[in-house]
């Protein structure tokens, strides 16, 4: 189920981003799919927790291929697909490696690794894909707000995910102790 949720969250994020206009919160610009991207980092951590780091990289490659295919089918330009793929690979790799190396409870590893992954995903995609350097959808003045808006949303999602995971694992430990 973890693998399925991971892959579905990535594909769904692409579909939602293509189907709906970005949200604007004051000066912040947030594509609708961003709401799901934060969850993909959590699902990836859950996959890694169960299957290990090496197998997780296989699932990341599969997710990358699915993501690129769906983006292309939905009509994204090659530049947008490439920017998405690059930001995905860098962010997922950073998340995986940070999650692996942190010697903290799972909820904190999910939170910290997801924050870094979300930051990298947002910055790389917006600069390479959406700025005048890329597809020129956003003027340079809007780029920092687009990046920051995505980072805020992804961080909030990571925080909620970490809190939920913490509660799940604390209850699990308590039930093991009481047995």
């Amino acid at each position: 189920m973890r693998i399925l949720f991971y892959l579905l969250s990535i594909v769904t994020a692409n579909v939602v981003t293509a189907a709906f206009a970005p949200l604007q919160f004051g000066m912040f610009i947030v594509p609708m799919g961003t709401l799901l991207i934060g969850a993909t980092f959590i699902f990836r951590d859950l996959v890694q927790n169960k299957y290990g780091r090496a197998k997780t990289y296989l699932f990341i490659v599969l997710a990358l291929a699915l993501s690129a295919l769906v983006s292309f089918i939905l009509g994204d330009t090659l530049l947008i697909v490439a920017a998405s793929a690059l930001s995905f690979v860098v962010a997922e790799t950073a998340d995986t490696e940070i999650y692996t190396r942190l010697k903290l409870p799972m909820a904190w590893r999910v939170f910290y690794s997801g924050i870094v992954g979300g930051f990298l995903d947002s910055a790389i995609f917006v600069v390479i894909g959406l700025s005048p350097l890329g597809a020129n959808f956003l003027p340079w003045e809007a780029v920092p707000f687009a990046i920051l808006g995505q980072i805020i949303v992804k961080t909030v999602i990571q925080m909620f995910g970490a809190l939920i995971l913490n509660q799940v694992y604390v209850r699990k430990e308590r039930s093991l102790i009481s047995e």
Side-chain angles (χ1 to χ4, degrees), residues 37 41 64 67 80-94 116-129 150 154:
I37 296 298
F41 293 114
L64 174 64
S67 177
I80 295 293
V81 173
S84 178
L86 178 63
S87 65
F88 181 83
V89 167
V90 171
E92 292 289 324
T93 300
V116 174
F119 173 83
L120 291 170
D121 183 61
S122 301
I124 293 168
F125 180 72
V126 171
V127 170
I128 294 175
Q150 289 187 39
K154 291 172 187 174

Side-chain angles (χ1 to χ4, degrees), residues 33-117:
T34 302
L35 301 169
L36 295 164
I37 296 298
T40 65
F41 293 114
I42 297 166
F43 291 136
R44 198 223 40 79
D45 291 337
L46 292 171
V47 167
Q48 182 176 351
N49 199 48
K50 180 164 181 145
Y51 297 101
R53 186 170 151 248
K55 285 185 180 175
T56 298
Y57 275 110
L58 295 174
F59 298 124
I60 290 171
V61 170
L62 177 60
L64 174 64
L66 281 172
S67 177
L69 178 64
V70 168
S71 291
F72 186 73
I73 289 169
L74 293 172
D76 286 337
T77 66
L78 189 55
L79 179 63
I80 295 293
V81 173
S84 178
L86 178 63
S87 65
F88 181 83
V89 167
V90 171
E92 292 289 324
T93 300
D95 188 291
T96 301
E97 295 305 317
I98 291 168
Y99 182 86
T100 298
R101 287 168 173 72
L102 286 177
K103 304 301 178 212
L104 296 169
M106 183 182 180
W108 287 109
R109 291 187 296 155
V110 166
F111 182 65
Y112 291 135
S113 65
I115 287 175
V116 174

Side-chain angles (χ1 to χ4, degrees), residues 133-159:
L133 184 66
N136 202 20
F137 287 127
L138 297 174
W140 283 117
E141 302 80 45
V143 167
F145 300 111
I147 293 170
L148 191 54
Q150 289 187 39
I151 290 170
I152 291 168
V153 169
K154 291 172 187 174
T155 300
V156 168
I157 291 168
Q158 288 298 133
M159 181 182 66

